[in-house]
Amino acid sequence: MNENVLSLQAISKTYNASKPNEVQVLRGASLEISHGEVVALVAPSGAGKSTLLHIAGLLDTPDSGAVLIDGRDMTRLGDGTRTAARRSQVGFIYQFHHLLPEFSAQENVVLPQLANGVPAREAEARARDLLARVGVEKRADHRPAALSGGEQQRVAFCRALANAPSLLLADEPTGNLDPATSDQVFGTLMALVRDTGLSALIATHNLDLARRMDRVVRMEDGQITPG
Ligand SMILES: Nc1ncnc2c1ncn2[C@@H]1O[C@H](COP(=O)(O)OP(=O)(O)O)[C@@H](O)[C@H]1O
Ligand SMILES: [Mg+2]
């Protein structure tokens, strides 16, 4: 059995290839994340963290290299299969919550489950359970605009975990919050990840948060290096 939930193998990505504004962002980046492991991705702005996370999350494709999730090579899948795999196997958290503004917190956690074929009753029960676990059950019927920044991110965590993915990818998930809130909200995220036994790759600028994870990796010249 393959122990790795995520395996990035020699990923390369260049934007605007052969043009004057060409940027070689990733140059053979490789990384493996095992079951239940939480890895911090630390690098300065512009180093390619978001590019790497989007490729790992099947939101973008590499120019070369392979992305394996749960041991399955995702680089060769057709669009429909890739989308289905992304929905069921990967949870993504952004710096800004990206919740749907016209829906309640509860609905934002239910909708991705309905898209994944979960019956409505089951999806609603799971959403309520997740919202309670991050302490925002009293906010379930509120729209995102009525929530604080910390509450919005907590709901975004629930949405990312709604379909019980095996891999969580987070792009500076508390980068938008003040330091005290960031610390608390990060604690909630880690508790949720540990409770569910999820594997995670979390980009952050914050070295204190990075130290709370199992392992730190950095990006240098488009490659992953040990932290
Ligand atoms: N869609 C794009 N087109 C052109 N250049 C891009 C695009 N996305 C990112 N870049 C460039 O790639 C580099 C890495 O960006 P990014 O992955 O967002 O880094 P980070 O998340 O570490 O700040 C930057 O120089 C950025 O300007
Ligand atoms: Mg980024």
Side-chain angles (χ1 to χ4, degrees):
M1 184 190 144
N2 189 325
E3 280 294 304
N4 292 319
V5 170
L6 175 67
S7 178
L8 297 175
Q9 303 177 347
I11 302 289
S12 293
K13 182 77 178 179
T14 297
Y15 290 113
N16 307 313
S18 313
K19 294 191 187 142
N21 55 348
E22 175 181 293
V23 202
Q24 288 183 26
V25 184
L26 303 176
R27 307 172 187 228
S30 295
L31 175 67
E32 312 220 300
I33 300 185
S34 62
H35 272 285
E37 192 181 27
V38 179
V39 178
L41 176 61
V42 178
S45 196
K49 299 182 296 299
S50 295
T51 302
L52 188 84
L53 287 169
H54 288 151
I55 289 172
L58 313 179
L59 297 162
D60 197 358
T61 49
D63 298 331
S64 62
V67 179
L68 277 69
I69 298 178
D70 293 327
R72 182 186 190 198
D73 188 349
M74 301 294 186
T75 17
R76 281 162 234 295
L77 300 180
D79 282 352
T81 320
R82 252 167 69 94
T83 302
R86 186 176 70 224
R87 272 198 194 121
S88 61
Q89 288 171 270
V90 184
F92 210 100
I93 300 168
Y94 301 87
Q95 181 170 1
F96 186 68
H97 60 81
H98 285 299
L99 296 170
L100 297 171
E102 67 274 34
F103 292 97
S104 70
Q106 163 86 7
E107 287 164 340
N108 268 280
V109 184
V110 165
L111 288 170
Q113 299 181 73
L114 299 184
N116 203 31
V118 177
R121 286 266 172 99
E122 202 178 300
E124 283 157 15
R126 178 161 172 81
R128 272 195 300 277
D129 174 56
L130 282 165
L131 292 169
R133 281 161 72 176
V134 301
V136 293
E137 65 275 29
K138 295 207 173 86
R139 293 277 180 267
D141 297 328
H142 290 68
R143 289 185 183 191
L147 305 176
S148 71
E151 288 169 341
Q152 289 167 343
Q153 276 311 66
R154 288 169 197 265
V155 176
F157 300 165
C158 296
R159 178 187 52 187
L161 267 66
N163 285 320
S166 39
L167 175 67
L168 178 72
L169 300 168
D171 197 353
E172 306 189 38
T174 64
N176 236 1
L177 306 171
D178 65 77
T181 309
S182 163
D183 201 64
Q184 277 175 11
V185 168
F186 184 80
T188 305
L189 177 62
M190 283 301 281
L192 203 55
V193 167
R194 296 305 191 193
D195 278 0
T196 46
L198 261 177
S199 304
L201 179 60
I202 303 178
T204 181
H205 284 294
N206 185 324
L207 291 178
D208 291 327
L209 299 186
R211 281 190 211 101
R212 288 159 69 178
M213 302 187 217
D214 298 323
R215 177 157 64 101
V216 177
V217 296
R218 294 178 189 275
M219 289 188 81
E220 229 168 87
D221 300 327
Q223 301 200 338
I224 302 280
T225 58

Short mmCIF file of all heavy atoms in Angstrom, two decimals, residues 1-7 32-35 37 68-71:
data_model
loop_
_atom_site.label_atom_id
_atom_site.label_comp_id
_atom_site.label_asym_id
_atom_site.label_seq_id
_atom_site.Cartn_x
_atom_site.Cartn_y
_atom_site.Cartn_z
N MET A 1 0.84 -1.21 0.00
CA MET A 1 0.00 0.00 0.00
C MET A 1 0.87 1.26 0.00
O MET A 1 1.89 1.32 0.67
CB MET A 1 -0.88 -0.02 1.26
CG MET A 1 -1.86 1.12 1.33
SD MET A 1 -2.63 1.17 2.96
CE MET A 1 -2.78 2.94 3.17
N ASN A 2 0.48 2.21 -0.82
CA ASN A 2 1.21 3.47 -0.85
C ASN A 2 0.82 4.31 0.37
O ASN A 2 -0.34 4.62 0.57
CB ASN A 2 0.86 4.22 -2.14
CG ASN A 2 1.72 5.42 -2.34
OD1 ASN A 2 2.11 6.08 -1.39
ND2 ASN A 2 2.03 5.72 -3.57
N GLU A 3 1.80 4.68 1.17
CA GLU A 3 1.53 5.41 2.41
C GLU A 3 1.31 6.90 2.16
O GLU A 3 0.89 7.61 3.05
CB GLU A 3 2.73 5.25 3.36
CG GLU A 3 2.74 3.93 4.10
CD GLU A 3 1.58 3.81 5.06
OE1 GLU A 3 1.43 4.69 5.92
OE2 GLU A 3 0.80 2.84 4.94
N ASN A 4 1.65 7.37 0.95
CA ASN A 4 1.56 8.81 0.71
C ASN A 4 0.18 9.23 0.24
O ASN A 4 -0.37 8.64 -0.68
CB ASN A 4 2.60 9.24 -0.32
CG ASN A 4 4.01 9.12 0.22
OD1 ASN A 4 4.24 9.45 1.38
ND2 ASN A 4 4.92 8.64 -0.58
N VAL A 5 -0.35 10.25 0.90
CA VAL A 5 -1.62 10.81 0.46
C VAL A 5 -1.36 11.74 -0.72
O VAL A 5 -2.13 11.78 -1.68
CB VAL A 5 -2.30 11.55 1.63
CG1 VAL A 5 -3.49 12.35 1.14
CG2 VAL A 5 -2.73 10.54 2.68
N LEU A 6 -0.27 12.50 -0.63
CA LEU A 6 0.11 13.38 -1.75
C LEU A 6 1.54 13.09 -2.17
O LEU A 6 2.44 12.97 -1.34
CB LEU A 6 0.02 14.85 -1.32
CG LEU A 6 0.50 15.86 -2.39
CD1 LEU A 6 -0.40 15.88 -3.60
CD2 LEU A 6 0.60 17.27 -1.79
N SER A 7 1.72 12.96 -3.47
CA SER A 7 3.06 12.83 -4.01
C SER A 7 3.18 13.76 -5.22
O SER A 7 2.48 13.59 -6.21
CB SER A 7 3.31 11.37 -4.41
OG SER A 7 4.58 11.24 -4.97
N GLU A 32 6.43 14.71 -0.76
CA GLU A 32 5.53 13.61 -0.39
C GLU A 32 4.96 13.89 0.99
O GLU A 32 5.68 14.32 1.89
CB GLU A 32 6.29 12.30 -0.38
CG GLU A 32 7.12 12.12 -1.64
CD GLU A 32 7.11 10.72 -2.20
OE1 GLU A 32 7.53 9.83 -1.46
OE2 GLU A 32 6.67 10.54 -3.35
N ILE A 33 3.68 13.64 1.13
CA ILE A 33 3.02 13.82 2.43
C ILE A 33 2.33 12.51 2.79
O ILE A 33 1.55 11.98 2.00
CB ILE A 33 2.00 14.98 2.38
CG1 ILE A 33 2.74 16.28 2.02
CG2 ILE A 33 1.28 15.12 3.71
CD1 ILE A 33 1.89 17.51 2.06
N SER A 34 2.66 11.98 3.96
CA SER A 34 2.13 10.67 4.33
C SER A 34 0.81 10.83 5.09
O SER A 34 0.39 11.94 5.43
CB SER A 34 3.16 9.91 5.16
OG SER A 34 3.43 10.62 6.33
N HIS A 35 0.17 9.71 5.40
CA HIS A 35 -1.12 9.70 6.10
C HIS A 35 -1.04 10.46 7.42
O HIS A 35 -0.17 10.18 8.24
CB HIS A 35 -1.56 8.26 6.37
CG HIS A 35 -2.32 7.69 5.24
ND1 HIS A 35 -3.63 8.04 4.98
CD2 HIS A 35 -1.96 6.83 4.28
CE1 HIS A 35 -4.04 7.41 3.90
NE2 HIS A 35 -3.04 6.67 3.45
N GLU A 37 -0.10 13.36 8.11
CA GLU A 37 1.01 14.31 8.30
C GLU A 37 0.57 15.72 7.92
O GLU A 37 -0.12 15.92 6.92
CB GLU A 37 2.19 13.87 7.41
CG GLU A 37 3.46 14.62 7.76
CD GLU A 37 4.65 14.22 6.86
OE1 GLU A 37 4.44 13.79 5.72
OE2 GLU A 37 5.78 14.37 7.34
N LEU A 68 0.17 12.73 -7.60
CA LEU A 68 -0.53 11.53 -7.15
C LEU A 68 -1.26 11.84 -5.85
O LEU A 68 -0.67 12.40 -4.91
CB LEU A 68 0.45 10.38 -6.90
CG LEU A 68 0.89 9.55 -8.12
CD1 LEU A 68 1.76 10.35 -9.06
CD2 LEU A 68 1.65 8.31 -7.65
N ILE A 69 -2.54 11.52 -5.81
CA ILE A 69 -3.32 11.67 -4.58
C ILE A 69 -3.85 10.28 -4.22
O ILE A 69 -4.43 9.60 -5.08
CB ILE A 69 -4.45 12.69 -4.75
CG1 ILE A 69 -3.84 14.07 -5.06
CG2 ILE A 69 -5.32 12.77 -3.48
CD1 ILE A 69 -4.85 15.17 -5.31
N ASP A 70 -3.61 9.88 -2.99
CA ASP A 70 -3.96 8.51 -2.56
C ASP A 70 -3.38 7.47 -3.53
O ASP A 70 -4.02 6.46 -3.83
CB ASP A 70 -5.48 8.34 -2.46
CG ASP A 70 -6.06 9.17 -1.33
OD1 ASP A 70 -5.39 9.35 -0.30
OD2 ASP A 70 -7.20 9.67 -1.48
N GLY A 71 -2.19 7.75 -4.05
CA GLY A 71 -1.51 6.80 -4.92
C GLY A 71 -1.97 6.78 -6.37
O GLY A 71 -1.43 6.04 -7.18
#
